[in-house]
Amino acid sequence: MLYFFESYLKTRYIREFQYTFYNLIYRRKNLLSEKKIQYTVTCPLCKKEIFFEVEKEKAQNKLIGGLASFSLSAHGSPPHVLTIYLDKEGKIRGTYVSQQVEGFTSTETSSQQLELQFNHIVDAGSELSPKDGKAVGLEVISFDILIDKKTRKKYLKDIFSPDVFDLLLKNHRLETEPISVIDFYEFFKNQDNGKPFIVLTMASNLSEIYNNALKARKHLENENPSFAQRITIMDSNTVGPLLKQMAKTALQMDKNGRNMQEIKLYLDWLSNNNQSYMLVDTLEYLARSKRVGRLAAFFGDLFGIKPILVGNIEGDGELKPYKSVRSREKGLKEIIKLVEEKFSGKKVEGIIFHVLCEEDARAFKELLVNELKIDEDNFRIEPLGSLIGIHLGIGTIGLSVYPEL
């Protein structure tokens, strides 16, 4: 009897111990999962879906100016690194390609360039880095970013969007400096391989880059007129994702055997028919900017207003003030109204862009599709890089739109 009683007690204690042990393990797993947030993002460069986890406490500790940034492991071909921005609520505000892995060289680049009829050049206002461009057959020329009036760095070569955003969040003073005449002059001479050049620049009303490229070609005319005649320089009347699209489309037209006249006709048509609408979250960055600081004067110093800017309305690439609103919702509805008035009865397509406000951009796309009854596949969402971030500020959202061909 005693033997069975002792056996019963041992079995009971063992079961209780097992129950307690497994319960602790289960609770620990739950606690660990509660401390982490899981995300899936789409890479802006290669469109691959990337899964990652972030510890809540670590995200809170990394907050600067209301945002925390995390760099993920390299992926893709060529290998590149993503930087993700999260706000204090754990929502994704932006996904940016911060760099390509050093030491990687594309085996396809040289063969791609050999197949091309023309040398394709675009400035870094396209938000393409020299490495990204070279991987697809484009040559990208960088401009300088001046930090606190002391340090110069080549944009998308020495300094990337996440670096710039971090500096802005820490209240550093940043300015952009255009590509100089001498830089263009040397670039043309170094890239000369006997083929004609197609040089596409950001809007001339936003930067001196276009005019400096023309001056460099003028210098070459004095030395080598036949070389200068092979250089075609075009003003895109835009900047950012649409400039990138124009450069890549011209490249693809070249690969498809289109001639120079056909490519120029396309670029001229899109540069004259695109329009951009931007809702700026604060006047702070506008007031700082040398290039577009005059726009801040139009809106005065009213607290809490959100300016709406319109670009290329008259086909000249100029960014102009339209009106101010008191909320983002009103501002985005006003932009939709402007698009509807301008493109009434036409099928349109374009790009919705944002500076570290990805969730707002998705909501804006849904609103745009529903209000204008357009195909959602006609509009994609892309992050704006730090060129716009420096001048218009974090929180800027808008779209570039044009008629379907």
Side-chain angles (χ1 to χ4, degrees):
M1 184 73 180
L2 182 62
Y3 169 77
F4 287 110
F5 181 68
E6 289 176 348
S7 180
Y8 165 76
L9 288 175
K10 285 180 181 178
T11 303
R12 180 183 172 186
Y13 288 140
I14 289 170
R15 285 177 178 171
E16 286 183 356
F17 172 76
Q18 288 175 333
Y19 173 80
T20 304
F21 176 76
Y22 287 119
N23 190 40
L24 285 170
I25 294 296
Y26 177 76
R27 285 183 63 194
R28 183 172 182 273
K29 285 182 178 178
N30 277 348
L31 285 169
L32 285 174
S33 64
E34 288 173 3
K35 290 179 180 179
K36 292 184 178 180
I37 313 174
Q38 298 179 341
Y39 299 93
T40 301
V41 296
T42 301
C43 174
L45 182 62
C46 66
K47 308 307 178 186
K48 180 180 178 181
E49 287 199 345
I50 308 295
F51 171 82
F52 67 99
E53 292 182 329
V54 172
E55 293 180 11
K56 289 183 180 179
E57 185 178 351
K58 188 175 181 181
Q60 291 296 318
N61 291 337
K62 291 190 72 173
L63 284 172
I64 299 173
L67 295 173
S69 62
F70 295 86
S71 293
L72 308 184
S73 300
H75 71 278
S77 179
H80 48 281
V81 175
L82 291 185
T83 296
I84 311 294
Y85 285 86
L86 305 177
D87 63 20
K88 59 185 178 182
E89 295 174 354
K91 295 177 181 177
I92 293 177
R93 292 282 297 273
T95 305
Y96 289 81
V97 179
S98 54
Q99 59 179 311
Q100 285 194 2
V101 177
E102 293 295 332
F104 180 89
T105 55
S106 172
T107 57
E108 297 180 9
T109 303
S110 57
S111 61
Q112 284 177 344
Q113 289 176 332
L114 286 172
E115 294 170 1
L116 297 173
Q117 306 170 73
F118 314 111
N119 295 309
H120 292 262
I121 316 295
V122 67
D123 65 66
S126 62
E127 299 298 339
L128 277 167
S129 74
K131 286 185 178 180
D132 293 338
K134 195 172 284 290
V136 296
L138 285 166
E139 291 294 335
V140 180
I141 182 166
S142 299
F143 52 82
D144 287 340
I145 289 182
L146 182 62
I147 306 168
D148 295 327
K149 298 187 179 294
K150 296 176 182 177
T151 308
R152 280 182 176 79
K153 291 191 176 183
K154 291 288 183 187
Y155 183 49
L156 298 178
K157 190 174 182 181
D158 304 323
I159 186 169
F160 292 80
S161 291
D163 308 312
V164 173
F165 290 140
D166 288 344
L167 289 168
L168 286 174
L169 290 168
K170 293 173 182 175
N171 293 317
H172 287 271
R173 185 66 180 265
L174 304 181
E175 300 170 36
T176 57
E177 296 191 335
I179 302 160
S180 68
V181 175
I182 189 65
D183 282 347
F184 267 120
Y185 174 84
E186 292 176 351
F187 190 86
F188 290 150
K189 295 193 75 170
N190 291 335
Q191 293 296 322
D192 186 24
N193 55 7
K195 296 180 181 180
F197 285 70
I198 298 175
V199 183
L200 192 60
T201 75
M202 72 171 81
S204 59
N205 268 311
L206 298 178
S207 170
E208 291 299 320
I209 290 176
Y210 173 74
N211 291 324
N212 287 349
L214 291 177
K215 290 175 183 177
R217 186 178 63 183
K218 187 70 177 175
H219 282 294
L220 285 169
E221 282 180 7
N222 299 327
E223 300 175 9
N224 190 340
S226 62
F227 177 26
Q229 287 176 1
R230 286 190 279 114
I231 302 174
T232 298
I233 301 168
M234 304 194 70
D235 182 351
S236 70
N237 284 336
T238 188
V239 69
L242 187 55
L243 174 57
K244 176 171 64 176
Q245 175 181 310
M246 292 172 73
K248 285 188 171 183
T249 302
L251 182 73
Q252 189 59 50
M253 290 177 73
D254 185 345
K255 290 178 180 179
N256 292 342
R258 298 297 183 92
N259 60 37
M260 174 70 83
Q261 187 62 27
E262 289 173 310
I263 295 173
K264 284 176 64 178
L265 281 172
Y266 163 76
L267 294 174
D268 275 332
W269 175 84
L270 191 49
S271 66
N272 290 322
N273 287 279
N274 81 82
Q275 293 195 357
S276 295
Y277 307 88
M278 304 178 193
L279 178 65
V280 180
D281 197 49
T282 172
L283 281 171
E284 176 188 355
Y285 296 91
L286 272 176
R288 288 185 197 171
S289 171
K290 279 185 178 179
R291 192 71 201 180
V292 294
R294 58 184 171 75
L295 296 174
F298 175 87
F299 297 105
D301 57 359
L302 295 174
F303 178 75
I305 68 164
K306 301 184 184 301
I308 296 175
L309 309 177
V310 292
N312 202 37
I313 295 300
E314 297 176 8
D316 57 4
E318 189 172 358
L319 195 60
K320 296 179 179 179
Y322 173 66
K323 69 185 296 185
S324 60
V325 292
R326 287 287 181 181
S327 71
R328 284 174 82 79
E329 183 182 3
K330 287 182 179 179
L332 295 176
K333 286 183 177 179
E334 191 69 38
I335 287 175
I336 290 173
K337 182 181 173 183
L338 287 170
V339 173
E340 189 172 23
E341 290 173 355
K342 175 65 181 178
F343 297 97
S344 178
K346 298 178 182 177
K347 290 186 176 181
V348 294
E349 55 185 291
I351 304 166
I352 295 169
F353 49 76
H354 67 92
V355 182
L356 293 180
C357 52
E358 193 170 304
E359 192 167 297
D360 288 353
R362 287 196 294 268
F364 180 38
K365 179 178 178 178
E366 186 176 345
L367 185 65
L368 185 73
V369 168
N370 291 336
E371 292 286 328
L372 300 185
K373 311 299 180 188
I374 56 179
D375 187 345
E376 66 176 345
D377 292 336
N378 282 12
F379 282 84
R380 67 182 187 275
I381 297 173
E382 288 205 19
L384 275 179
S386 50
L387 174 66
I388 297 296
I390 288 171
H391 296 291
L392 301 186
I394 292 168
T396 296
I397 186 171
L399 79 158
S400 294
V401 60
Y402 50 91
E404 275 190 354
L405 271 173

